[in-house]
Amino acid sequence: RQSLVDGLTNSRAEGFRLEGFDGQPSGLRSMNPLIDLGVLQGMAGSLRKKSARVLLQRMPAVEIFMHFMDLHHQAFDEAELDADAFLTPSEYAELVLCEILLRLLRLPP
């Protein structure tokens, strides 16, 4: 059964698949993989949940990373920002990426 699942997901192509995504950005949350099938928005919750899981499992790494680093939905007014007190989304993303890299470097081989 596992090889069948691997064949239908990103596992065979890239060696892994995304099983979940906490704190999804609005762009990812709004994706409805059943639109192409003509299924309306009022579909059963379990069907939508299963289709969303398959969407994540089939997502390539570059798209996963794009959604992971999606900060454009964070609203802020640059005119009201005190440059010394707040980080812009770009600065915040830079710090997050730096921390991720540092943690990956500490992983045992």
Side-chain angles (χ1 to χ4, degrees), residues 9-18 57 59-62 64:
T9 65
N10 190 39
S11 296
R12 183 160 292 148
E14 295 185 291
F16 63 90
R17 65 179 173 261
L18 183 61
Q57 290 175 338
M59 193 175 288
V62 68
I64 293 168

Side-chain angles (χ1 to χ4, degrees), residues 77-94:
D77 184 1
E78 287 187 40
E80 295 178 10
L81 275 182
D82 175 5
D84 296 329
F86 296 100
L87 298 174
T88 65
S90 297
E91 292 170 328
Y92 186 71
E94 184 180 341

Side-chain angles (χ1 to χ4, degrees), residues 16-32:
F16 63 90
R17 65 179 173 261
L18 183 61
E19 290 291 335
F21 196 128
D22 293 337
Q24 293 182 6
S26 57
L28 183 56
R29 276 193 319 272
S30 69
M31 295 173 96
N32 182 353

